[in-house]
Amino acid sequence: MEDASMHEDSMLTLGDVTFHAASVPSADTSLYNISPAQATFFKTQTGIDNDEDLKRHILEVQAKAYKVAPYLCIHGFGFLRLNLSKFPVYEHILQLGRERPDAVLLDIGCCFGVDARKAAADGFPAKNIIASDVVNEFLQLSHELFKTTPASYPGCLLPGDAFDPEFLSIVAPSDDVSPAPAIDLSSLKSLNPLHGRISAINAIAFFHLFNEEKQLHVARALAGLLSAQPGSVICGFDTGAHEKGIVTANLSGIEYQTFTHSPETWSSLWDGEVFEKGTVKVETELVEIPVFSTRHLMMRWSVTRL
């Protein structure tokens, strides 16, 4: 999740998406609604068994986060979704964690890192999971949400800006398929020591925050992190379209514009522009999902090294 900032003309920016600050709704606790699967997960993680106590706990964290950055995913409790675990590629990612020595999972633009925590709960070694966001307060609130501390949770929570070359520089995709030596993620200050060493990257709801040029930039940056070993994968879930271009959306009264790829242009970007053609398999799927009172076209995608 990229940083949000307020302009003097009362415009709020989130990545390259801008909208009027006056249109940002107040926090609405009536939108709180979690599925039985979500309730089970958060009860297990937090040790809070009572439904009302769990709701009270989550609302307290949400209120703090909304003061930091009034994102729609905070307002509508989207941060509670167990998104990655619903992907067809999820079982493959867990398998990498079980079977590939020292496999590393990166959750980029993670907000509270819920997908990272879910993967750890499902067996991916937590000490090999990185949850990264430009908003450091979200990472601190992750510990509050899950009732952990840096001492009790071995995963790496790494603040940083994906467009800062000191944090994540662009290098050519690795062609070294030999197993990478283990690295102590707790000592990381940036992602750059992990070039060519990450087995799986979760970039859900990340790319659609940026314009076309920046989407290509971050695609190249993440590609440089990915291991060359076959099966290494990057996946995401972003605003979709049948033809690439600028899409205007209205969610919860907030109107904004975002650049969106089509399945065809997204596939050709990864297979031929970011990676050498024929060295990756790109899978895309357009799906309509309910967001507040509207239907929103999204694209589920994955890029797997062959």
Side-chain angles (χ1 to χ4, degrees):
M1 189 168 295
E2 191 65 8
D3 200 6
S5 60
M6 193 80 74
H7 290 166
E8 291 183 0
D9 58 357
S10 296
M11 296 296 289
L12 192 68
T13 64
L14 173 54
D16 292 315
V17 177
T18 62
F19 44 91
H20 290 282
S23 68
V24 176
S26 301
D28 184 355
T29 59
S30 70
L31 296 175
Y32 177 85
N33 181 33
I34 60 175
S35 68
Q38 289 171 308
T40 298
F41 171 70
F42 282 101
K43 286 178 180 180
T44 301
Q45 291 292 301
T46 62
I48 301 174
D49 293 325
N50 180 272
D51 288 331
E52 286 303 312
D53 289 344
L54 179 64
K55 177 180 179 180
R56 188 178 304 110
H57 172 66
I58 290 174
L59 289 177
E60 288 175 356
V61 176
Q62 184 230 18
K64 293 178 181 179
Y66 205 58
K67 288 180 180 178
V68 172
Y71 296 163
L72 285 172
C73 65
I74 305 295
H75 177 259
F77 296 91
F79 64 90
L80 298 177
R81 295 183 190 134
L82 308 176
N83 287 313
L84 182 60
S85 64
K86 300 174 185 176
F87 274 35
V89 76
Y90 184 61
E91 288 303 320
H92 171 67
I93 291 174
L94 295 181
Q95 183 179 10
L96 289 174
R98 290 191 302 267
E99 300 179 1
R100 181 180 291 183
D102 301 309
V104 174
L105 167 63
L106 168 64
D107 188 2
I108 187 84
C110 69
C111 192
F112 301 135
V114 170
D115 282 333
R117 300 279 188 150
K118 173 64 172 168
D122 289 340
F124 201 106
K127 67 181 179 65
N128 291 340
I129 298 177
I130 306 164
S132 182
D133 201 285
V134 73
V135 183
N136 189 35
E137 292 90 340
F138 286 167
L139 301 179
Q140 295 168 356
L141 286 169
S142 176
H143 281 305
E144 184 170 339
L145 177 63
F146 287 96
K147 290 186 168 291
T148 56
T149 66
S152 67
Y153 176 66
C156 174
L157 304 182
L158 185 65
D161 184 347
F163 292 94
D164 177 1
E166 294 296 314
F167 181 75
L168 177 56
S169 61
I170 293 178
V171 301
S174 174
D175 58 5
D176 182 2
V177 297
S178 60
I183 184 171
D184 180 8
L185 300 183
S186 66
S187 65
L188 282 181
K189 302 300 182 185
S190 79
L191 291 171
N192 287 330
L194 296 174
H195 284 134
R197 302 179 69 165
I198 296 182
S199 296
I201 300 173
N202 171 31
I204 288 174
F206 186 60
F207 278 87
H208 63 199
L209 300 177
F210 310 112
N211 62 32
E212 183 174 12
E213 180 183 2
K214 287 184 179 178
Q215 287 190 26
L216 176 58
H217 175 102
V218 78
R220 286 179 166 148
L222 295 181
L225 292 174
L226 198 64
S227 167
Q229 294 184 68
S232 302
V233 64
I234 306 174
C235 64
F237 192 52
D238 297 283
T239 300
H242 294 286
E243 295 184 7
K244 84 167 187 177
I246 303 297
V247 171
T248 300
N250 189 311
L251 298 178
S252 193
I254 299 177
E255 185 173 289
Y256 63 93
Q257 292 185 324
T258 182
F259 176 82
T260 305
H261 272 281
S262 70
E264 293 76 18
T265 61
W266 194 237
S267 296
S268 62
L269 180 144
W270 288 100
D271 185 16
E273 192 166 359
V274 173
F275 290 100
E276 183 179 345
K277 190 166 182 63
T279 62
V280 294
K281 177 177 71 173
V282 183
E283 296 180 280
T284 61
E285 179 187 12
L286 288 176
V287 294
E288 264 197 350
I289 64 168
V291 181
F292 301 113
S293 59
T294 63
R295 304 288 295 181
H296 201 57
L297 190 63
M298 301 288 290
M299 181 168 62
R300 182 185 293 121
W301 58 271
S302 64
V303 179
T304 307
R305 296 210 65 165
L306 300 175

